[in-house]
Amino acid sequence: MGGAAGGGETEGLTTMRYIEPHGHMVSRTTDDYQAMVTAGCQAVCEPAFWAGFDRGSAAGFRDYFRQLTEYEPARAAKFLLPHYSWLCLNPKESEDLGLAREVLALIPEFLGRPNVLGIGEIGLNRNTRNELRILEEHVDLAVRHDQLILVHTPHLEDKLKGTRLILDLLRGHAGVRPGRVIIDHVEEHTIQQVLDAGFWAGITLYPDSKSSPPRAVDMLEICGRERIWLNSACDWGVSDPLAVPKTALEMRRRGHSEDFVDAVLFRNPVRFLSQCPKFTVRAEPAA
Amino acid sequence: MVDHGFVPVRAKLIEVAAFLDRVERYAVADDFRCAALRRAAALLVDGRPARARRILEQLSDPTTRPDAVSTGKAALGAWAGRPAAAKRKA
Ligand SMILES: [Zn+2]
């Protein structure tokens, strides 16, 4: 927030710092990196996701994991932007149990890579038995390797049921520590149960199917800001890689302080992500 | 709050009204999603709080057991009910 609290002549001319904790940069242009850095982005984190089509072989996933751990961090580095990634097989692709298990078996060889933060985004898509089975195997893998977990909750009418199934599974797993798990894409009907169970919650600013900046700020006002991050989940769909910094305007319009903006957009994601020693962005006051 | 928020939200409410008119003109108003939208809209004026949460809940699948197999299709935004009960139009 760069000394924004000072007021006086510089009031309103705030420089902002923020983390994009969930962006699918492989599907974005280099212009987006430039815009994010210009807006104050200090790090971008990229969960593994669905490519828009079902991949046909484990070799396709191996190439994707190399893209997330080699090529994409190098592309971001051209803009001095630290790039981190999360690895998994997306729930949309877990109906084929044979392929899913082949992919699960090759994840450990990538976990030691310097930009890998944990296992994600795992979760459910249409709330099926096979999806649940593969989710559980991902959770086992994360626990065995002491990894952070990023969970995707299903879309639209499936979100409520899926969130409940995910919470039941995570609460029933002896090795899961809720403070090391973030459950993403919460909305008004799922956020409170996620927080009550001790997990972190992610609010996604995504047109039509998820939350808007005003609704996100409503949830922060109602549920508190302690264990919540905001993300754009920008991908190949209609989405906005600057949705997180734009939400700061909604906070300021309502009279929230620069400290509130900095806590939600920067210090919260840093606090969660720093549980992985490879995440080196620190929350000291901006110079 | 009202100064800033009213006009954009007014526009969205008129979009809802125009959509409900349009699906009637096109004779698709009995699609389960249109019916769900009308039921959800009624919650706006029932005088009770947490409207956003309650509308999201009303549009949700209320069942609790995982499905045996995936339909292979994307979510539609409203719960179709048991497979035989779903009536879908273009
Ligand atoms: Zn995502």
Side-chain angles (χ1 to χ4, degrees), chain B residues 4 62 72:
Chain B
H4 176 70

Side-chain angles (χ1 to χ4, degrees), chain A residues 126-127 129 157 161 253, chain B residues 4 61 63 65 67 73 77:
Chain A
R126 297 308 311 266
N127 302 327
R129 282 184 206 149
E157 75 271 21
K161 173 177 172 177
R253 266 194 195 122
Chain B
H4 176 70
D61 176 353
T63 65
R65 288 235 285 268
D67 296 350
K73 301 207 172 70

Side-chain angles (χ1 to χ4, degrees), chain A residues 37-220:
Chain A
V37 169
T38 305
C41 191
Q42 305 293 306
V44 61
C45 308
E46 174 152 11
F49 85 141
W50 191 55
F53 62 95
D54 289 347
R55 280 159 280 218
S57 70
F61 282 89
R62 181 188 294 276
D63 287 345
Y64 179 47
F65 296 156
R66 285 189 51 222
Q67 186 180 19
L68 290 178
T69 58
E70 296 171 21
Y71 178 73
E72 208 55 43
R75 196 160 75 109
K78 290 181 187 153
F79 300 90
L80 309 181
L81 183 64
H83 175 285
Y84 296 94
S85 61
W86 300 79
L87 302 180
C88 75
L89 167 110
N90 187 278
K92 245 181 156 76
E93 286 166 296
S94 53
E95 278 302 304
D96 180 345
L97 293 177
L99 176 61
R101 286 173 178 144
E102 272 183 69
V103 176
L104 274 156
L106 63 86
I107 290 174
E109 73 182 82
F110 288 91
L111 291 178
R113 298 253 169 132
N115 78 327
V116 175
L117 296 172
I119 299 296
E121 51 183 311
I122 55 174
L124 298 175
N125 178 50
R126 297 308 311 266
N127 302 327
T128 69
R129 282 184 206 149
N130 282 359
E131 290 173 12
L132 261 178
R133 213 168 276 154
I134 295 302
L135 170 60
E136 189 164 21
E137 293 181 25
H138 273 107
V139 173
D140 286 339
L141 178 75
V143 167
R144 263 199 322 277
H145 291 268
D146 197 27
Q147 298 290 307
L148 296 176
I149 296 176
L150 169 55
V151 182
H152 160 99
T153 51
H155 305 283
L156 303 169
E157 75 271 21
D158 296 324
K159 185 180 297 292
L160 182 62
K161 173 177 172 177
T163 301
R164 288 173 174 158
L165 289 168
I166 289 164
L167 287 174
D168 285 348
L169 187 151
L170 291 170
R171 280 186 295 223
H173 196 296
V176 170
R177 284 180 282 163
R180 290 172 58 82
V181 179
I182 182 140
I183 298 184
D184 217 335
H185 317 319
V186 298
E187 291 181 66
E188 288 86 342
H189 57 327
T190 57
I191 185 169
Q192 199 59 56
Q193 48 195 301
V194 166
L195 294 173
D196 287 348
F199 298 97
W200 279 70
I203 299 175
T204 300
L205 305 153
Y206 199 92
D208 298 339
S209 65
K210 295 185 174 76
S211 185
S212 62
R215 286 173 53 204
V217 181
D218 291 339
M219 284 186 262
L220 289 162

Side-chain angles (χ1 to χ4, degrees), chain B residues 20 22 27 34 36 49 69 76 80 88:
Chain B
L20 292 176
R22 194 177 311 132
C34 300
V69 285
L76 293 168
R88 194 177 162 195

